[in-house]
Amino acid sequence: MGMGDRMVVWWMVCGIVMWAWSGVEAQGYWETVVDNAGISTMHAAVTHYGNVVLLDRTNIGPSQLALGAGVCRDNPADRALTHDCTAHSALFTPGSNAIRPLMVQTDTWCSSGQFDANGMLMQTGGDADGVSKIRHFTPCGGGGCDWVELDGGLQEGRWYASNQILPDGTQIVVGGRGSGTVEYVPANGRGTYDLPLLYKTNDAQMDNLYPFVHLLPNNQLYIFANRDSCLYDWETNTVVRDYPTIPGEPRNYPSGGSSVMLPLSAAADYGNAEILVCGGAAFGAYMNPGGQPASQTCGRLAPLAADPGWAMETMPTRRVMGDMILLPTREVLIINGAAGGAQGWGNAENPVKTPVLYKPYNAAGARFQTLAGSPIPRVYHSTANLLPDGRVLVAGSNTHQFYTLAGYLPTELRIETFSPPYLGAGRPNFAAAPGGLKYGAAFTATVKAAGAKNIELNLASAPFVTHSFAQGQRLLQLETGAPVAAGGGAFTVASKAPTTAAVAPAGYYMLFPVADGSVGNAAWVKVG
């Protein structure tokens, strides 16, 4: 082979490598940021300090994360280890990737939670000694914050329930194993109230657990369980209407589908609420494990429409126990899960390692894009949370009753981040951003985004993620005027805060600058 031929071959190889690398970037990329967190994350939530609360159950025996010199947890009610010097909760700090152990006393297995208006994480229920517990975690940037277990508890035991913060600042806690009621925390004199939907949907394998609860912009709740749903007035504790049954399989735990309310937009006066439900498991996959194929469908419903009905779509792959994350670009990331089986010990089959991007504003049939896959399976008891730098934090996966670090689908202690395609070169960033937003009030932000034609300011909540559902998740596209050049590649953007607490309940949110589809680091803002 002559020199000319070798040069042609060399350029061909370079071209192939460059094409392959570009393809990976276009599909996002993964990074393992912690090789051993010491605990397997069952629940996760991002605080307004940017660090992440990780939680597992307590009655599993020792974890691999020590509580610290001379610190132990003594709990005579623990089923596995009454004197335990290891942690079952931790605080993870992105960037430094540091892990700090936290002390949680009662069992948080399959519990629920949400941040309140002041950024405190309120955590409710669990199993055994934790079933009626209320716990608080007040975030901090240093090493002083830890879990506090309250003396008062829930009015009814809640295991596999869902929480949603309300416009009045309280949280509704919906359902749970053996429960057909809702209650409020703090109760403020309110009791427990029957929710007919939960009795109607309680089939032989209890497919109504971890119900999907979304606060609609009309101040009412959309609640979905199994395959049915209703509109619920939390102020009068009455069902306003029932919706058609979604076609296909059961969608809630243990059948493990997921749901989001698609982003609300100021351009539609925040009245454009649509619910998306994706995945699930064949009925009986939990009672008779055998790797039955998971659901491959998504359903989309406009709950405030005059005559709402389900519009069905087909995902690129079957998926059960996946997570759905609203991204700053107003798209939905469907990540984690398996192609068969159901949630529960050892029930996962054929892990799905490739996330899918759902583009809600594309035409039907052109909404799904398959992204880069991870080498690590993430099935039962895994989590996915949006970080303020735009990455998605992925942790957990334990399909065993106890920590099992060998064999098929071992307990996963590694933490990864997934960087979506919008985190490429030339990202925008804030030169100036507000620290707080008052309902309906105008504000301005300065965004550095050289050459940008379109700049969005999108507001994302920080949900409590567990069991394939991000409790309290919402994203708003704020009103913005045309960017005004401010020199040095920066633009001033005039905007307006959300209009009401039904659109955005009071609390801390991540405000993301998005320039021509590229996403910058968020600024934390307090709304209310």
Side-chain angles (χ1 to χ4, degrees), residues 418-477:
F418 176 66
S419 296
Y422 56 63
L423 295 179
R427 297 175 59 197
N429 62 80
F430 281 119
L437 301 178
K438 298 296 183 183
Y439 291 119
F443 71 93
T444 60
T446 305
V447 180
K448 289 188 175 181
K453 295 183 174 66
N454 179 64
I455 296 177
E456 296 180 16
L457 298 178
N458 295 337
L459 199 65
S461 68
F464 179 87
V465 177
T466 187
H467 289 76
S468 302
F469 182 52
Q471 300 179 16
Q473 181 173 217
R474 63 203 301 112
L475 191 138
L476 287 75
Q477 182 188 23

Side-chain angles (χ1 to χ4, degrees), residues 28 91 114 134 140 145 152 178 190 210 230 273 275 333 377 379 433 526 528:
L91 196 63
Q114 195 115 147
I134 300 174
C140 62
C145 45
R190 292 174 287 192
Y210 278 124
C230 71
I275 305 299
L333 184 69
V379 288
K526 191 174 184 182

Side-chain angles (χ1 to χ4, degrees), residues 175-435:
R177 180 164 288 183
S179 174
T181 68
V182 306
E183 67 175 279
Y184 299 87
V185 180
N188 293 339
R190 292 174 287 192
T192 63
Y193 303 89
D194 282 341
L195 179 59
L197 174 72
L198 297 177
Y199 296 99
K200 172 185 176 182
T201 56
N202 188 22
D203 61 23
Q205 58 180 21
M206 294 180 284
D207 278 310
N208 65 354
L209 302 179
Y210 278 124
F212 305 144
V213 184
H214 301 289
L215 175 65
L216 300 177
N218 73 337
N219 198 37
Q220 294 174 330
L221 296 169
Y222 175 83
I223 305 177
F224 180 106
N226 196 331
R227 296 176 58 214
D228 289 292
S229 54
C230 71
L231 184 65
Y232 189 75
D233 187 327
W234 60 271
E235 292 182 299
T236 61
N237 291 295
T238 56
V239 174
V240 178
R241 66 172 303 172
D242 293 312
Y243 294 101
T245 299
I246 191 172
E249 301 78 8
R251 309 285 179 162
N252 290 83
Y253 182 93
S255 292
S258 190
S259 175
V260 294
M261 180 172 68
L262 294 177
L264 302 175
S265 174
D269 294 327
Y270 299 111
N272 59 315
E274 286 189 85
I275 305 299
L276 183 68
V277 177
C278 292
F283 178 76
Y286 176 74
M287 295 184 295
N288 302 293
Q292 295 94 325
S295 172
Q296 198 170 349
T297 61
C298 293
R300 189 164 162 173
L301 178 105
L304 300 180
D307 186 22
W310 290 101
M312 303 304 294
E313 301 178 77
T314 301
M315 296 185 289
T317 57
R318 297 180 180 275
R319 198 177 301 257
V320 61
M321 64 193 97
D323 289 281
M324 294 171 66
I325 304 300
L326 296 172
L327 299 178
T329 51
R330 296 180 288 117
E331 298 165 321
V332 182
L333 184 69
I334 308 173
I335 196 169
N336 299 337
Q343 288 176 317
W345 311 130
N347 288 349
E349 295 285 346
N350 303 318
V352 180
K353 301 178 185 178
T354 51
V356 165
L357 192 64
Y358 179 80
K359 304 177 180 183
Y361 311 107
N362 283 8
R367 291 178 176 152
F368 293 99
Q369 177 189 351
T370 300
L371 301 178
S374 165
I376 302 175
R378 302 283 182 177
V379 288
Y380 187 43
H381 290 154
S382 56
T383 58
N385 296 74
L386 178 66
L387 294 175
D389 62 11
R391 295 179 298 167
V392 175
L393 188 77
V394 180
S397 187
N398 186 13
T399 191
H400 308 280
Q401 187 170 1
F402 304 105
Y403 281 18
T404 305
L405 303 177
Y408 180 63
L409 296 177
T411 302
E412 187 54 65
L413 302 178
R414 288 172 289 183
I415 296 178
E416 295 175 286
T417 57
F418 176 66
S419 296
Y422 56 63
L423 295 179
R427 297 175 59 197
N429 62 80
F430 281 119

